[in-house]
Amino acid sequence: MVEVLIERDEEGRVQAVTLRGDDSPEALAAAALVEAPVLGMRHYLHLTPEAYREGDTFRFRVDRSDIFLDREIDAILETMVLGLRSLERDRPDKLAVREIGLDVKV
């Protein structure tokens, strides 16, 4: 089973995401959804999110150093969350999305 852990701050903003997967189609789809925001933050917003891959785990921490980009960052990340939730609804036995700090105020 593929697991995605989404960590939110006290304002409900996504701060970090961890994906633990395998070689399944669901894992590949989830990986694309989780890795896309890193590319958007780096290449479109010119930020430097911390990201690393170790075995079957991919993790990134959001770069919120520019407070004027919070809205754009939130749009990118919440789109990722919506995509992951949609995939989870379609494949509940293959993917689990868990969130820590659910008081979303975005």
Side-chain angles (χ1 to χ4, degrees):
M1 175 176 272
V2 180
E3 293 180 305
V4 180
L5 176 64
I6 299 167
E7 299 171 46
R8 294 181 180 271
D9 66 10
E10 60 279 349
E11 294 179 26
R13 291 194 156 106
V14 175
Q15 293 298 309
V17 178
T18 304
L19 166 73
R20 290 184 189 91
D22 49 31
D23 292 331
S24 67
E26 293 80 13
L28 295 174
L33 287 167
V34 169
E35 292 174 20
V38 174
L39 296 172
M41 287 184 282
R42 284 184 179 158
H43 299 289
Y44 185 75
L45 297 179
H46 305 288
L47 297 171
T48 54
E50 299 172 30
Y52 72 89
R53 182 180 314 279
E54 187 175 298
D56 290 340
T57 301
F58 177 77
R59 178 173 171 77
F60 75 85
R61 179 163 292 284
V62 179
D63 175 0
R64 290 197 180 266
S65 60
D66 186 338
I67 60 169
F68 297 107
L69 292 177
D70 274 346
R71 188 174 174 101
E72 289 84 352
I73 293 168
D74 291 341
I76 290 171
L77 294 169
E78 293 304 326
T79 300
M80 173 202 67
V81 172
L82 290 169
L84 288 167
R85 289 289 181 197
S86 177
L87 185 59
E88 180 185 41
R89 271 191 310 276
D90 291 344
R91 309 282 185 167
D93 56 331
K94 304 281 186 182
L95 176 69
V97 179
R98 293 173 176 59
E99 296 190 50
I100 298 173
L102 293 175
D103 293 333
V104 181
K105 297 179 184 175
V106 177

PDB file of all heavy atoms in Angstrom, residues 4-9 13-18 50 59-62 64 77 80 98 100:
ATOM      1  N   VAL A   4       0.753   8.403   2.016  1.00  0.00           N
ATOM      2  CA  VAL A   4       1.182   9.792   1.910  1.00  0.00           C
ATOM      3  C   VAL A   4       0.830  10.475   3.220  1.00  0.00           C
ATOM      4  O   VAL A   4      -0.311  10.413   3.678  1.00  0.00           O
ATOM      5  CB  VAL A   4       0.489  10.521   0.736  1.00  0.00           C
ATOM      6  CG1 VAL A   4       0.974  11.966   0.658  1.00  0.00           C
ATOM      7  CG2 VAL A   4       0.747   9.802  -0.580  1.00  0.00           C
ATOM      8  N   LEU A   5       1.812  11.105   3.827  1.00  0.00           N
ATOM      9  CA  LEU A   5       1.616  11.851   5.071  1.00  0.00           C
ATOM     10  C   LEU A   5       1.790  13.328   4.749  1.00  0.00           C
ATOM     11  O   LEU A   5       2.843  13.745   4.236  1.00  0.00           O
ATOM     12  CB  LEU A   5       2.627  11.424   6.132  1.00  0.00           C
ATOM     13  CG  LEU A   5       2.585  12.197   7.444  1.00  0.00           C
ATOM     14  CD1 LEU A   5       1.253  11.988   8.151  1.00  0.00           C
ATOM     15  CD2 LEU A   5       3.739  11.795   8.325  1.00  0.00           C
ATOM     16  N   ILE A   6       0.754  14.112   5.044  1.00  0.00           N
ATOM     17  CA  ILE A   6       0.773  15.554   4.809  1.00  0.00           C
ATOM     18  C   ILE A   6       0.792  16.236   6.164  1.00  0.00           C
ATOM     19  O   ILE A   6      -0.116  16.043   6.972  1.00  0.00           O
ATOM     20  CB  ILE A   6      -0.461  15.985   3.987  1.00  0.00           C
ATOM     21  CG1 ILE A   6      -0.449  15.275   2.637  1.00  0.00           C
ATOM     22  CG2 ILE A   6      -0.505  17.503   3.843  1.00  0.00           C
ATOM     23  CD1 ILE A   6      -1.742  15.368   1.882  1.00  0.00           C
ATOM     24  N   GLU A   7       1.824  17.026   6.406  1.00  0.00           N
ATOM     25  CA  GLU A   7       1.970  17.732   7.679  1.00  0.00           C
ATOM     26  C   GLU A   7       1.591  19.194   7.482  1.00  0.00           C
ATOM     27  O   GLU A   7       2.075  19.845   6.573  1.00  0.00           O
ATOM     28  CB  GLU A   7       3.407  17.632   8.177  1.00  0.00           C
ATOM     29  CG  GLU A   7       3.848  16.200   8.423  1.00  0.00           C
ATOM     30  CD  GLU A   7       5.327  16.096   8.713  1.00  0.00           C
ATOM     31  OE1 GLU A   7       5.838  16.897   9.531  1.00  0.00           O
ATOM     32  OE2 GLU A   7       5.969  15.214   8.115  1.00  0.00           O
ATOM     33  N   ARG A   8       0.698  19.680   8.353  1.00  0.00           N
ATOM     34  CA  ARG A   8       0.231  21.069   8.284  1.00  0.00           C
ATOM     35  C   ARG A   8       0.664  21.840   9.534  1.00  0.00           C
ATOM     36  O   ARG A   8       0.810  21.258  10.604  1.00  0.00           O
ATOM     37  CB  ARG A   8      -1.288  21.107   8.154  1.00  0.00           C
ATOM     38  CG  ARG A   8      -1.786  20.510   6.830  1.00  0.00           C
ATOM     39  CD  ARG A   8      -3.303  20.605   6.738  1.00  0.00           C
ATOM     40  NE  ARG A   8      -3.807  20.044   5.505  1.00  0.00           N
ATOM     41  CZ  ARG A   8      -3.960  20.730   4.370  1.00  0.00           C
ATOM     42  NH1 ARG A   8      -3.636  21.999   4.329  1.00  0.00           N
ATOM     43  NH2 ARG A   8      -4.437  20.133   3.292  1.00  0.00           N
ATOM     44  N   ASP A   9       0.820  23.148   9.377  1.00  0.00           N
ATOM     45  CA  ASP A   9       1.166  23.983  10.522  1.00  0.00           C
ATOM     46  C   ASP A   9      -0.097  24.402  11.263  1.00  0.00           C
ATOM     47  O   ASP A   9      -1.207  23.971  10.921  1.00  0.00           O
ATOM     48  CB  ASP A   9       2.006  25.191  10.086  1.00  0.00           C
ATOM     49  CG  ASP A   9       1.262  26.176   9.202  1.00  0.00           C
ATOM     50  OD1 ASP A   9       0.016  26.058   9.047  1.00  0.00           O
ATOM     51  OD2 ASP A   9       1.910  27.084   8.653  1.00  0.00           O
ATOM     52  N   ARG A  13      -1.626  25.224   6.865  1.00  0.00           N
ATOM     53  CA  ARG A  13      -0.852  25.227   5.621  1.00  0.00           C
ATOM     54  C   ARG A  13       0.068  24.004   5.569  1.00  0.00           C
ATOM     55  O   ARG A  13       0.697  23.649   6.558  1.00  0.00           O
ATOM     56  CB  ARG A  13      -0.024  26.495   5.513  1.00  0.00           C
ATOM     57  CG  ARG A  13      -0.877  27.718   5.289  1.00  0.00           C
ATOM     58  CD  ARG A  13      -0.020  28.886   4.859  1.00  0.00           C
ATOM     59  NE  ARG A  13      -0.829  29.835   4.135  1.00  0.00           N
ATOM     60  CZ  ARG A  13      -1.215  30.990   4.634  1.00  0.00           C
ATOM     61  NH1 ARG A  13      -0.882  31.333   5.861  1.00  0.00           N
ATOM     62  NH2 ARG A  13      -1.944  31.806   3.904  1.00  0.00           N
ATOM     63  N   VAL A  14       0.150  23.411   4.380  1.00  0.00           N
ATOM     64  CA  VAL A  14       1.031  22.252   4.187  1.00  0.00           C
ATOM     65  C   VAL A  14       2.472  22.688   4.402  1.00  0.00           C
ATOM     66  O   VAL A  14       2.925  23.691   3.842  1.00  0.00           O
ATOM     67  CB  VAL A  14       0.855  21.658   2.771  1.00  0.00           C
ATOM     68  CG1 VAL A  14       1.858  20.534   2.537  1.00  0.00           C
ATOM     69  CG2 VAL A  14      -0.575  21.150   2.569  1.00  0.00           C
ATOM     70  N   GLN A  15       3.185  21.936   5.240  1.00  0.00           N
ATOM     71  CA  GLN A  15       4.582  22.228   5.543  1.00  0.00           C
ATOM     72  C   GLN A  15       5.524  21.153   5.016  1.00  0.00           C
ATOM     73  O   GLN A  15       6.655  21.441   4.655  1.00  0.00           O
ATOM     74  CB  GLN A  15       4.782  22.368   7.056  1.00  0.00           C
ATOM     75  CG  GLN A  15       4.094  23.566   7.634  1.00  0.00           C
ATOM     76  CD  GLN A  15       4.614  24.863   7.053  1.00  0.00           C
ATOM     77  OE1 GLN A  15       5.802  25.097   7.027  1.00  0.00           O
ATOM     78  NE2 GLN A  15       3.721  25.693   6.566  1.00  0.00           N
ATOM     79  N   ALA A  16       5.060  19.894   5.014  1.00  0.00           N
ATOM     80  CA  ALA A  16       5.908  18.788   4.566  1.00  0.00           C
ATOM     81  C   ALA A  16       5.022  17.660   4.059  1.00  0.00           C
ATOM     82  O   ALA A  16       3.880  17.503   4.496  1.00  0.00           O
ATOM     83  CB  ALA A  16       6.787  18.286   5.701  1.00  0.00           C
ATOM     84  N   VAL A  17       5.569  16.893   3.138  1.00  0.00           N
ATOM     85  CA  VAL A  17       4.860  15.749   2.569  1.00  0.00           C
ATOM     86  C   VAL A  17       5.840  14.583   2.480  1.00  0.00           C
ATOM     87  O   VAL A  17       6.980  14.758   2.047  1.00  0.00           O
ATOM     88  CB  VAL A  17       4.297  16.069   1.166  1.00  0.00           C
ATOM     89  CG1 VAL A  17       3.596  14.854   0.570  1.00  0.00           C
ATOM     90  CG2 VAL A  17       3.348  17.257   1.223  1.00  0.00           C
ATOM     91  N   THR A  18       5.373  13.410   2.894  1.00  0.00           N
ATOM     92  CA  THR A  18       6.169  12.190   2.796  1.00  0.00           C
ATOM     93  C   THR A  18       5.364  11.143   2.051  1.00  0.00           C
ATOM     94  O   THR A  18       4.205  10.905   2.380  1.00  0.00           O
ATOM     95  CB  THR A  18       6.532  11.646   4.202  1.00  0.00           C
ATOM     96  OG1 THR A  18       7.214  12.675   4.933  1.00  0.00           O
ATOM     97  CG2 THR A  18       7.417  10.414   4.105  1.00  0.00           C
ATOM     98  N   GLU A  50      13.211  21.751   0.396  1.00  0.00           N
ATOM     99  CA  GLU A  50      14.095  20.611   0.681  1.00  0.00           C
ATOM    100  C   GLU A  50      13.384  19.353   0.210  1.00  0.00           C
ATOM    101  O   GLU A  50      12.231  19.121   0.561  1.00  0.00           O
ATOM    102  CB  GLU A  50      14.349  20.497   2.183  1.00  0.00           C
ATOM    103  CG  GLU A  50      15.013  21.690   2.819  1.00  0.00           C
ATOM    104  CD  GLU A  50      15.040  21.541   4.331  1.00  0.00           C
ATOM    105  OE1 GLU A  50      15.092  20.405   4.845  1.00  0.00           O
ATOM    106  OE2 GLU A  50      14.987  22.589   4.995  1.00  0.00           O
ATOM    107  N   ARG A  59      10.374  12.648   0.285  1.00  0.00           N
ATOM    108  CA  ARG A  59       9.902  13.635   1.265  1.00  0.00           C
ATOM    109  C   ARG A  59      10.322  15.027   0.816  1.00  0.00           C
ATOM    110  O   ARG A  59      11.418  15.205   0.299  1.00  0.00           O
ATOM    111  CB  ARG A  59      10.479  13.337   2.644  1.00  0.00           C
ATOM    112  CG  ARG A  59      10.071  14.345   3.712  1.00  0.00           C
ATOM    113  CD  ARG A  59      10.533  13.912   5.090  1.00  0.00           C
ATOM    114  NE  ARG A  59      10.340  14.927   6.088  1.00  0.00           N
ATOM    115  CZ  ARG A  59       9.186  15.246   6.666  1.00  0.00           C
ATOM    116  NH1 ARG A  59       8.088  14.619   6.333  1.00  0.00           N
ATOM    117  NH2 ARG A  59       9.115  16.183   7.580  1.00  0.00           N
ATOM    118  N   PHE A  60       9.421  15.978   1.026  1.00  0.00           N
ATOM    119  CA  PHE A  60       9.822  17.360   0.824  1.00  0.00           C
ATOM    120  C   PHE A  60       9.253  18.237   1.912  1.00  0.00           C
ATOM    121  O   PHE A  60       8.233  17.938   2.513  1.00  0.00           O
ATOM    122  CB  PHE A  60       9.458  17.874  -0.581  1.00  0.00           C
ATOM    123  CG  PHE A  60       7.997  18.184  -0.812  1.00  0.00           C
ATOM    124  CD1 PHE A  60       7.459  19.410  -0.464  1.00  0.00           C
ATOM    125  CD2 PHE A  60       7.176  17.254  -1.425  1.00  0.00           C
ATOM    126  CE1 PHE A  60       6.123  19.702  -0.707  1.00  0.00           C
ATOM    127  CE2 PHE A  60       5.842  17.534  -1.682  1.00  0.00           C
ATOM    128  CZ  PHE A  60       5.313  18.770  -1.313  1.00  0.00           C
ATOM    129  N   ARG A  61       9.993  19.309   2.174  1.00  0.00           N
ATOM    130  CA  ARG A  61       9.575  20.340   3.125  1.00  0.00           C
ATOM    131  C   ARG A  61       9.423  21.631   2.330  1.00  0.00           C
ATOM    132  O   ARG A  61      10.283  21.985   1.542  1.00  0.00           O
ATOM    133  CB  ARG A  61      10.599  20.511   4.249  1.00  0.00           C
ATOM    134  CG  ARG A  61      10.220  21.577   5.252  1.00  0.00           C
ATOM    135  CD  ARG A  61      10.991  21.469   6.545  1.00  0.00           C
ATOM    136  NE  ARG A  61      10.655  20.282   7.310  1.00  0.00           N
ATOM    137  CZ  ARG A  61       9.551  20.109   8.032  1.00  0.00           C
ATOM    138  NH1 ARG A  61       8.641  21.067   8.067  1.00  0.00           N
ATOM    139  NH2 ARG A  61       9.352  19.018   8.706  1.00  0.00           N
ATOM    140  N   VAL A  62       8.316  22.312   2.547  1.00  0.00           N
ATOM    141  CA  VAL A  62       7.977  23.516   1.799  1.00  0.00           C
ATOM    142  C   VAL A  62       8.881  24.673   2.217  1.00  0.00           C
ATOM    143  O   VAL A  62       9.165  24.854   3.400  1.00  0.00           O
ATOM    144  CB  VAL A  62       6.492  23.888   2.034  1.00  0.00           C
ATOM    145  CG1 VAL A  62       6.115  25.148   1.297  1.00  0.00           C
ATOM    146  CG2 VAL A  62       5.601  22.723   1.628  1.00  0.00           C
ATOM    147  N   ARG A  64       8.852  28.340   2.766  1.00  0.00           N
ATOM    148  CA  ARG A  64       7.920  29.461   2.956  1.00  0.00           C
ATOM    149  C   ARG A  64       8.680  30.724   3.359  1.00  0.00           C
ATOM    150  O   ARG A  64       8.207  31.537   4.137  1.00  0.00           O
ATOM    151  CB  ARG A  64       6.866  29.101   3.997  1.00  0.00           C
ATOM    152  CG  ARG A  64       5.892  28.035   3.471  1.00  0.00           C
ATOM    153  CD  ARG A  64       4.636  27.989   4.300  1.00  0.00           C
ATOM    154  NE  ARG A  64       3.712  26.989   3.809  1.00  0.00           N
ATOM    155  CZ  ARG A  64       2.724  27.254   2.948  1.00  0.00           C
ATOM    156  NH1 ARG A  64       2.542  28.456   2.501  1.00  0.00           N
ATOM    157  NH2 ARG A  64       1.920  26.278   2.572  1.00  0.00           N
ATOM    158  N   LEU A  77       0.010  23.399  -3.543  1.00  0.00           N
ATOM    159  CA  LEU A  77      -0.043  22.269  -2.610  1.00  0.00           C
ATOM    160  C   LEU A  77      -1.453  21.734  -2.414  1.00  0.00           C
ATOM    161  O   LEU A  77      -1.649  20.521  -2.316  1.00  0.00           O
ATOM    162  CB  LEU A  77       0.583  22.668  -1.281  1.00  0.00           C
ATOM    163  CG  LEU A  77       2.082  22.958  -1.366  1.00  0.00           C
ATOM    164  CD1 LEU A  77       2.573  23.609  -0.092  1.00  0.00           C
ATOM    165  CD2 LEU A  77       2.865  21.695  -1.665  1.00  0.00           C
ATOM    166  N   MET A  80      -2.328  19.509  -5.212  1.00  0.00           N
ATOM    167  CA  MET A  80      -1.729  18.195  -4.992  1.00  0.00           C
ATOM    168  C   MET A  80      -2.601  17.369  -4.050  1.00  0.00           C
ATOM    169  O   MET A  80      -2.890  16.195  -4.319  1.00  0.00           O
ATOM    170  CB  MET A  80      -0.320  18.333  -4.395  1.00  0.00           C
ATOM    171  CG  MET A  80       0.311  17.013  -3.978  1.00  0.00           C
ATOM    172  SD  MET A  80       1.634  17.198  -2.751  1.00  0.00           S
ATOM    173  CE  MET A  80       0.720  17.771  -1.320  1.00  0.00           C
ATOM    174  N   ARG A  98      -2.898  10.572   4.783  1.00  0.00           N
ATOM    175  CA  ARG A  98      -3.119  10.978   6.177  1.00  0.00           C
ATOM    176  C   ARG A  98      -2.612  12.404   6.358  1.00  0.00           C
ATOM    177  O   ARG A  98      -1.600  12.770   5.802  1.00  0.00           O
ATOM    178  CB  ARG A  98      -2.379  10.042   7.117  1.00  0.00           C
ATOM    179  CG  ARG A  98      -2.936   8.627   7.106  1.00  0.00           C
ATOM    180  CD  ARG A  98      -2.086   7.669   7.916  1.00  0.00           C
ATOM    181  NE  ARG A  98      -2.559   6.330   8.044  1.00  0.00           N
ATOM    182  CZ  ARG A  98      -2.809   5.471   7.075  1.00  0.00           C
ATOM    183  NH1 ARG A  98      -2.640   5.826   5.842  1.00  0.00           N
ATOM    184  NH2 ARG A  98      -3.227   4.235   7.305  1.00  0.00           N
ATOM    185  N   ILE A 100      -1.759  15.532   9.255  1.00  0.00           N
ATOM    186  CA  ILE A 100      -1.506  15.928  10.640  1.00  0.00           C
ATOM    187  C   ILE A 100      -1.750  17.426  10.715  1.00  0.00           C
ATOM    188  O   ILE A 100      -1.182  18.188   9.933  1.00  0.00           O
ATOM    189  CB  ILE A 100      -0.053  15.613  11.048  1.00  0.00           C
ATOM    190  CG1 ILE A 100       0.220  14.123  10.970  1.00  0.00           C
ATOM    191  CG2 ILE A 100       0.225  16.151  12.447  1.00  0.00           C
ATOM    192  CD1 ILE A 100       1.667  13.753  11.187  1.00  0.00           C
TER     193      ILE A 100
END
